[in-house]
Amino acid sequence: MRKIIGLIIYVIVQILFIPFRIIGAVIIYYKQTCVIKKLGVSSTVIEIING
């Protein structure tokens, strides 16, 4: 019974945080495009820096 309740709570929390993930992804994408334009490098270089 505990596992079922834990799974239900986990799914609810994951669904509630979807908007925050989307906002974070948009912010990261925007910052990457700004850096790419400023430095004049390819996007693969920025991915290496993010890692």
Side-chain angles (χ1 to χ4, degrees):
M1 186 68 172
R2 279 180 140 179
K3 288 185 179 184
I4 295 172
I5 293 172
L7 180 64
I8 292 171
I9 291 172
Y10 175 78
V11 169
I12 291 171
V13 169
Q14 292 299 315
I15 291 171
L16 291 176
F17 278 102
I18 287 174
F20 296 111
R21 285 189 227 145
I22 293 171
I23 292 169
V26 169
I27 291 171
I28 290 170
Y29 175 76
Y30 178 73
K31 285 184 177 184
Q32 283 182 346
T33 55
C34 289
V35 170
I36 288 169
K37 289 179 182 178
K38 185 189 288 185
L39 297 177
V41 295
S42 68
S43 61
T44 55
V45 173
I46 302 302
E47 287 299 324
I48 293 171
I49 294 171
N50 286 339

